[in-house]
Every structure is written in C-alpha cells, then in structure tokens.
Amino acid sequence: MTREETGATTSAPIRSSAATAGTGSEATAATGVERGAEGTAATARTWTTRLMVAGIVLAALNLRPAVTSLGALLKEVRDGLGMSGSVAGLLTSVPSLCFAVFGVMAPRLARRFGPGAVVCAGMVAITAGLLIRPYAGNTAGFLAATALALMGIAVSNVLMPVIVKRWFPDRVGSMTGLYSMALAVGTSSAAAVTVPMTNALGGNWQPGLAVWAALAAVAVLPWLPFVRARGTDSAASPAVAAVPAEPDGLRMVRSRTAWVLAAFFGLQSTAAYITMGWMAQIFRDAGVPAGTAGLLLAVTMVMGVPLAFVIPRLASRLPHQGPIVVVLGVCGLAGYAGLYLAPAGGAWAWAVLLGVSNCAFPLALTMVGMRARTSAGVAKLSAFAQSTGYLLSIPGPLLVGVLYQHSGGWGLPIALMAGLMAPQIVAGVLAGRNRTVEDEAAR
C-alpha cells in the first residue's frame, strides 16, 4: 500500500514534468517560429530598402540626360529641324515649363496612386519621350516628345525629396546627397558622352539622342514592386514611424520661407538650364571644337558629383545655409566674368567655377527637406517651391536665345546671367534661415 502510494505520489510529478517539458518544447517552438517570422520580415524590409535606394539612384541618373544630351547636339538638331535661335531658346525653356506645369500635379498623383507608382510611370514617360523625339520628323513633334520625357522628369523631381523624407527621415542629408550625386553623374555623362557616341553611331544626331532611352528603361525596373504599394510603401521602412503625424490645412502661399525658397529654386534653375542649354554653344562660337565643348559642359556637370554629396551633408548640419549660398554665388559670378572676358582662353576654369555654382540645386533640395517637419509638409513645399520656381525660370533660357540672335554675340546674354546671380544669393540666404513652413503656413 505504501509502495503504491509512493508510486502514485512519484508518478504524478513525473507526469507533470513530462507535461511541463512538452509545454516548454511547444513554447520554444512557437518562439522559434516568431523569431523566424521576425527574421524573414526584417530581411524583407532590408531588401525592400535596398531596392528603394537602387530606385532612387537610377531615377536620379535619368533626370537630366534629356536636357544635357540635347545641349551637346543643339547645333545639329537646329540644323536638322531648321530651328531659329528664338525657337532654340524656346526649346531650352521647355524643361522649366514642363517642370512647373506637371510638377504641381505630383503630390495629388502620389496621394491617389502612391509615390512609387508615379515615379515608375515617370520613368516610362522618360523612356518613351527620349525614344520618340529624334524621329518625330519636325519641330512640333520634337517638342511634344521632349515634353513627354520632361513630364516624367517633373513628377520624379518633386517626389524624390518626399520619398527620401518618408523612407529615410533620419538620413535626409546623406540620402539627398546620394540622390544629387547620381543626378550629377547622369547630367555630366550625357554631356560628355553624347557627341562621341553620336560619332560612333555614324555621326547622325538622331540615334545619338535616342540611345539615352535605354538608361531610362533600366530605371523602370526597381520601381515595379512599389507600383502596388499605394498605401504601404512607407510602412515597409521602420524609420518612417519616427515621422510626426501629417498636418492638414498647410497653405504654402502664407509662408515667407516657401516663397523665398521658390525664388531661390527658380533662379538657380534659370542659371542651370541656361548653362545646360547654351554653354556648349558659347564655347563653340568662341572657336572651341564641338567635342571639347561637350567635354567642358561635362566638366561643369561633373563638379556636382562630389559636391552634390558633400553640400547636403554639410547643409544639414548647419543652422543657417546662407554661407554656402554666398560661396556658390561668388563662384558663379567669377565664371560668368570669365566667359565674358576670355571664353576660350580660360574655358576649363570657367567650366569648373560654373559647375560649383550649379551645386545650388542639391542645396535647394536639401533645404526643402529641412524647411518642413513632416512628409506632408515636404510634399507640399517641394511641389510649391519647384513648380513656382520653374515657372519663374521659364523666361531665362528663352531670353538668352532672343538676345543672342538679335545682338549677334554673347555679351548681353552673359550679362543677364551674371545679373540674375545677385537676387539668387539674396533669396538663398533668406531661405536658409532656421524655420519651418508648418510654423508659417498654418497661421
């Protein structure tokens, strides 16, 4: 009896231990499954973030070749299509017009379809426009196809700061620098390679321009997975949780900072598109060979590769970006003075100085990200500053073409370029003050 009681007494704990062991095994297995799921989710987020970085870089590479490849071959295009100087000036103003008109649509399209889907569509539009325009057959068709490509560039221009803010809110400076550096690489590559590539393709300007559609087609691919992620693209990045709730009722027209940033954006865009559209022609008219003129334009653009990475990082660490604005403006004034006095003699120095000055663009993009606290604020500020700025920049390249044709030289156009640098410096200094549009636009 005692043995039975003892056996019963001891057998119960044994069964309890077995049950406990079983429960522990199940708990361990469940924990393992949870950890495995978490690991899989973390891996997916990592690869999604890497894909987004690749998409940003490839998109940035395609945001300027449509313009700088044309600048390198502008004389050939004018001769082939029978363009006058005034019409060519209109052609160099088309980028600003398209960026202003289509850029303002970007936030609305992004809210409806998602930023990733809109950028993907933008890359498709760039591909189609670049492929069609050389074979359009006349000036009107060339302009229409160019406008299609520029429409894709416009919406991507506006949404890049938004995407950077949403996916990398704690790395706005470095990611803007990476994006700006890739943009500078694409810009300079198109300027440097277009003329030699055209010669390699038989000397015809049409395939020399059309070949850039291949680069745009590659940029479509990394954005395809984000087409269906309309409401979830930001959720894939854990850092986005740090972004404050998006405010309603922001009206950019009430913000002084938004207006001066738009003015700065417009004036630096005027300088950039005059440079991209006309600088190679200025050197060619001074006796510089076409290939060398293309290389000089490439040098101007390539200066943005290192500086576009350094300037946003430096700007994001400063409470006031005004000193950077002043340095860039002084370089621009020196470059224009050199173009006026000795365009061929000091061509390489002027190309470098104007390249440094053109780095006002990544600085402006950085300030867009810094002058708003939230992704919604950045979206509205980016659309307002870029669309308004590009509207302001429309007359510049056109006026340069008119002045060039009617004066018979580059003296007056260069004087205009230099004269616009002073208000650019003033607007940039005011835009660089440490304040946000939420504090002004919601009043």
Side-chain angles (χ1 to χ4, degrees):
M1 186 71 176
T2 303
R3 289 177 182 174
E4 290 175 359
E5 290 176 355
T6 304
T9 303
T10 56
S11 64
I14 291 172
R15 286 194 297 270
S16 298
S17 299
T20 303
T23 303
S25 299
E26 292 171 0
T28 302
T31 302
V33 171
E34 291 175 0
R35 289 177 178 172
E38 290 175 359
T40 302
T43 302
R45 283 195 300 267
T46 299
W47 281 105
T48 304
T49 302
R50 290 175 180 174
L51 191 62
M52 175 58 75
V53 172
I56 290 172
V57 170
L58 285 172
L61 287 172
N62 284 279
L63 295 184
R64 292 299 179 270
V67 180
T68 51
S69 62
L70 177 60
L73 293 174
L74 185 58
K75 184 177 186 303
E76 287 74 12
V77 173
R78 286 177 59 191
D79 293 342
L81 297 177
M83 288 185 189
S84 66
S86 298
V87 175
L90 174 63
L91 183 60
T92 56
S93 293
V94 167
S96 298
L97 176 62
C98 290
F99 294 167
V101 172
F102 298 117
V104 75
M105 300 164 52
R108 183 176 301 176
L109 292 172
R111 284 194 298 269
R112 181 171 181 180
F113 301 105
V118 177
V119 174
C120 184
M123 295 300 109
V124 172
I126 295 171
T127 304
L130 293 183
L131 191 60
I132 293 170
R133 75 172 180 176
Y135 305 103
N138 53 56
T139 300
F142 189 93
L143 287 171
T146 299
L148 176 61
L150 294 172
M151 178 178 65
I153 295 173
V155 294
S156 302
N157 265 338
V158 171
L159 292 180
M160 281 297 115
V162 179
I163 289 172
V164 167
K165 185 78 169 182
R166 293 182 68 178
W167 278 78
F168 309 98
D170 55 342
R171 287 182 285 164
V172 170
S174 59
M175 286 305 301
T176 301
L178 179 63
Y179 155 71
S180 302
M181 186 171 65
L183 190 149
V185 169
T187 305
S188 57
S189 297
V193 174
T194 297
V195 171
M197 190 160 46
T198 299
N199 294 334
L201 293 172
N204 191 332
W205 62 268
Q206 292 170 312
L209 289 182
V211 71
W212 293 103
L215 180 62
V218 173
V220 174
L221 302 179
W223 291 100
L224 292 175
F226 299 100
V227 169
R228 292 183 296 176
R230 180 168 55 186
T232 59
D233 58 341
S234 61
S237 176
V240 177
V243 179
E246 298 186 346
D248 294 323
L250 284 180
R251 297 184 62 185
M252 292 297 114
V253 293
R254 295 180 178 178
S255 170
R256 292 186 295 273
T257 298
W259 279 109
V260 292
L261 185 54
F264 178 63
F265 205 100
L267 289 165
Q268 66 82 27
S269 295
T270 300
Y273 285 103
I274 289 174
T275 299
M276 286 187 279
W278 289 109
M279 198 177 81
Q281 188 70 47
I282 293 174
F283 286 128
R284 291 178 73 169
D285 287 351
V288 177
T292 304
L295 285 176
L296 287 165
L297 179 58
V299 167
T300 299
M301 300 300 111
V302 83
M303 291 304 299
V305 176
L307 292 179
F309 189 71
V310 172
I311 288 176
R313 293 171 65 90
L314 177 61
S316 64
R317 297 175 182 176
L318 294 177
H320 194 306
Q321 290 74 47
I324 304 177
V325 172
V326 173
V327 170
L328 298 181
V330 169
C331 288
L333 289 172
Y336 291 136
L339 279 182
Y340 184 86
L341 297 172
W348 295 100
W350 318 143
V352 169
L353 287 169
L354 291 174
V356 174
S357 180
N358 278 348
C359 287
F361 176 72
L363 177 60
L365 286 181
T366 306
M367 287 197 285
V368 167
M370 296 179 68
R371 298 288 88 88
R373 289 194 299 266
T374 66
S375 59
V378 172
K380 291 184 178 182
L381 178 58
S382 179
F384 178 81
Q386 294 200 43
S387 297
T388 306
Y390 284 127
L391 274 176
L392 294 174
S393 70
I394 290 171
L398 176 60
L399 186 56
V400 165
V402 172
L403 289 175
Y404 170 58
Q405 180 170 340
H406 290 282
S407 68
W410 286 107
L412 285 177
I414 292 172
L416 172 66
M417 300 178 210
L420 291 175
M421 191 57 64
Q424 176 181 322
I425 294 172
V426 173
V429 170
L430 293 175
R433 294 174 297 176
N434 187 16
R435 57 193 64 192
T436 62
V437 293
E438 285 89 351
D439 295 331
E440 300 173 344
R443 291 174 183 172

